[in-house]
């Protein structure tokens, strides 16, 4: 399975992945998901927000146990973030069937749409729409770098954007959700463990900063006559780093759009996206407020996820089933966090990442650790599907 999707959306120059939601690569991955479901005789369903569900058993009779992740990627991302959870879900199901296990409740494999938010700017799009955490009108109006709205993109992919929104029927099918993911850090390396269990997800959000100036000629405009928005942006980047260190959080300006974006022109507009996270929600919000006052930019909030504490009973049950696997917090957002915030009992299992690098072509996990992750997931699903 891993080899079957390794080439999809891969940039031959960088070896990174370009798997934007609803792009040709993403559509091929969705087709692959459907083929894997059909190979196992699973009931494939697509909900009103484009999330895919492959069921062993009928969740209409009784809410089921679901595992899975996503197949889209950040731009120039790695191979493991998302796909490892989907491939491992199918592999864990195969493991259970090879043992002759018959689940007492339905077992599902999920593939969430647009988890990374690389195309339209809002992460966990599919799960946010599913749970009602994202207004469907706002989602339909979001645009990509080409100016195409999400509504237009969905129509081009043969979907009805009018269907977007909270889906209580689908949510009612999910009794518990367990997401396997490559660790985005090195906690498991330091603990000497191939697999761990998530305790919580830090609060995190994204904000757009628009710095307005006056576009003008780079060669004929005197320095004292310039209104260059790149300068306040640069000062804000430096201030964000200093403020984050002072407050014990992290802050990143990782995306930038410059207009008119000519080498021989002073910009008229610099739009920059801030990603801010930390263990203390008040400090994260205080950081953003400080940057707003310092920068004097026009600021709009694009997404916010409060702290997510995963279900303690479920977490302890899973850790015990894995023989006392280490429990750790994470600064990365996931669909499991969105479902947990909506009241769905949810948990996460992490697979060791030897370098801790993620959202990069250098993201990696040893195959032996991936196999350990599949074995752990199979154990968890067997435990949860017994009754």
């Amino acid at each position: 399975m891993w080899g079957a999707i390794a080439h999809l959306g891969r940039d031959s120059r960088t070896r990174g992945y370009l798997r934007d939601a609803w792009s040709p690569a993403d559509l091929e991955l969705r087709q692959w998901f459907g083929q894997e479901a059909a190979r196992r005789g699973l009931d494939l369903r697509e909900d009103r927000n484009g999330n895919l569900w492959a069921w062993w058993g009928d969740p209409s009779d009784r809410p089921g146990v679901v595992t899975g992740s996503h197949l889209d990627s950040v731009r120039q991302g790695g191979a493991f973030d998302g796909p490892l959870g989907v491939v491992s879900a199918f592999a864990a199901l195969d493991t259970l069937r090879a043992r002759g296990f018959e689940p007492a409740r339905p077992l599902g494999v999920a593939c969430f749409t647009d988890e990374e938010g690389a195309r339209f700017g809002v992460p966990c799009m599919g799960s946010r729409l599913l749970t009602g955490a994202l207004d469907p009108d706002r989602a339909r109006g979001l645009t990509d770098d080409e100016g195409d709205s999400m509504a237009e993109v969905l129509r081009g992919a043969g979907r009805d954007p009018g269907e977007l929104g909270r889906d209580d029927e689908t949510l009612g099918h999910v009794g518990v959700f367990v997401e396997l993911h490559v660790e985005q850090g090195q906690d498991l390396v330091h603990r000497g463990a191939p697999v761990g269990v998530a305790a919580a997800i830090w609060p995190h959000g994204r904000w757009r900063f628009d710095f307005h100036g006056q576009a003008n000629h780079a060669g004929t405009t005197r320095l004292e006559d310039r209104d260059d928005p790149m300068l306040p942006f640069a000062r804000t980047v430096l201030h964000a780093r200093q403020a984050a260190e002072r407050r014990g959080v992290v802050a990143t300006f990782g995306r930038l759009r410059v207009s008119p974006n000519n080498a021989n022109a002073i910009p008229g507009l610099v739009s920059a996206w801030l990603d801010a996270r930390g263990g203390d929600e008040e400090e994260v919000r205080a950081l953003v407020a400080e940057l707003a006052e310092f920068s004097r930019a026009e600021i709009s909030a694009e997404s916010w996820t409060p702290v997510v504490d995963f279900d303690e009973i479920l977490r302890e049950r899973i850790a015990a089933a894995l023989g006392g696997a280490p429990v750790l917090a994470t600064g990365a957002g996931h669909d499991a966090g969105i479902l947990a915030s909506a009241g769905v009992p949810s948990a996460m299992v992490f697979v060791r990442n030897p370098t801790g690098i993620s959202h990069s072509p250098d993201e990696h996990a040893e195959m032996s650790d991936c196999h350990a992750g599949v074995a752990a997931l199979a154990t968890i699903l067997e435990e949860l599907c017994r009754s």
Side-chain angles (χ1 to χ4, degrees):
M1 284 187 288
W2 196 252
I5 62 174
H7 67 287
L8 294 177
R10 196 163 201 180
D11 188 326
S12 60
R13 299 171 296 111
T14 66
R15 309 303 291 167
Y17 285 89
L18 300 168
R19 292 168 168 171
D20 279 9
W22 305 108
S23 66
D26 186 48
L27 292 173
E28 283 190 77
L29 288 161
R30 295 171 67 87
Q31 183 179 32
W32 168 85
F33 183 93
Q35 291 169 347
E36 292 299 316
R39 245 179 9 100
R40 293 165 174 81
L42 305 179
D43 177 17
L44 179 66
R45 306 180 185 186
E46 180 174 329
D47 67 25
R48 58 192 292 181
N49 299 297
N51 304 307
L52 299 175
W53 309 83
W55 286 103
W56 179 12
D58 187 355
S60 300
D61 297 334
R62 182 185 180 189
V65 175
V66 182
T67 185
S69 191
H70 61 96
L71 292 172
D72 64 303
S73 76
V74 297
R75 291 170 182 171
Q76 299 299 341
F80 294 83
D81 180 357
L84 180 62
V86 177
V87 171
S88 297
F90 282 125
L93 186 149
D94 293 343
T95 300
L96 293 178
R97 284 183 165 177
R99 293 176 186 168
F101 178 73
E102 290 290 336
R105 57 195 297 190
L107 176 58
V109 177
C111 175
F112 287 97
T113 296
D114 199 1
E115 193 270 354
E116 297 292 2
R119 185 166 191 174
F120 299 105
V122 176
C124 298
M125 180 83 74
S127 57
R128 287 182 193 273
L129 285 167
L130 168 69
T131 59
L134 176 63
D135 180 74
D137 286 334
R138 183 190 170 204
R140 282 186 280 266
L142 293 170
T143 57
D144 62 16
D145 291 343
E146 303 303 317
D148 296 324
S149 71
M150 184 176 174
E152 293 168 334
V153 169
L154 287 174
R155 289 192 194 96
R159 272 70 176 180
D160 179 4
E163 289 291 311
L164 295 181
R166 182 178 170 91
D167 189 341
D168 287 311
E169 180 181 0
T170 298
L171 268 179
H173 292 162
V174 185
V176 60
F177 179 64
V178 180
E179 181 173 4
L180 180 144
H181 205 279
V182 68
E183 188 190 2
Q184 295 167 295
Q186 286 186 293
D187 200 338
L188 291 174
V189 172
H190 300 316
R191 295 172 186 248
V195 175
V197 181
I201 297 177
W202 283 0
H204 57 279
R206 295 182 187 178
W207 293 263
R208 172 173 168 167
F209 284 60
D210 286 328
F211 298 85
H212 296 272
Q214 174 63 59
N216 212 331
H217 196 288
T220 61
T221 309
R222 299 185 308 168
L223 291 178
E224 57 266 35
D225 293 335
R226 299 183 179 206
D227 183 6
D228 185 350
M230 191 64 79
L231 298 180
F233 163 65
R235 288 192 289 267
T236 301
V237 172
L238 295 175
H239 190 82
R241 174 60 180 265
Q242 295 164 358
E245 289 178 344
R246 188 174 68 252
R247 295 183 178 278
V249 299
V250 292
T252 308
F253 280 101
R255 181 184 176 198
L256 185 67
R257 185 184 295 161
V258 180
S259 176
N261 203 30
N262 295 324
N264 58 355
I266 301 161
L269 172 66
V270 174
S271 297
W273 281 261
L274 171 73
D275 182 299
R277 313 173 186 228
D280 187 325
E281 180 173 329
E282 290 184 3
E283 290 295 343
V284 176
R285 289 193 175 279
L287 167 81
V288 177
E290 180 179 338
L291 292 180
E293 183 177 357
F294 175 86
S295 68
R296 304 296 183 186
E298 179 184 325
I299 300 174
S300 55
E302 296 206 335
S303 67
W304 172 254
T305 303
V307 63
V308 174
D309 290 309
F310 287 111
D311 186 285
E312 185 177 358
I313 295 176
L314 178 61
R315 184 179 72 222
E316 291 180 355
R317 186 179 177 187
I318 288 174
L322 299 182
V327 177
L328 53 145
T330 178
H334 302 280
D335 291 307
I338 303 300
L339 293 183
S341 297
V344 177
S346 302
M348 290 196 70
V349 175
F350 291 120
V351 172
R352 180 167 50 193
N353 179 336
T355 64
I357 294 174
S358 189
H359 285 187
S360 160
D362 294 329
E363 181 180 82
H364 183 64
E366 295 294 337
M367 199 52 63
S368 59
D369 286 346
C370 294
H371 289 160
V374 170
L377 186 58
T379 297
I380 293 165
L381 296 178
E382 184 172 5
E383 167 72 15
L384 297 176
C385 287
R386 283 193 181 279
S387 58

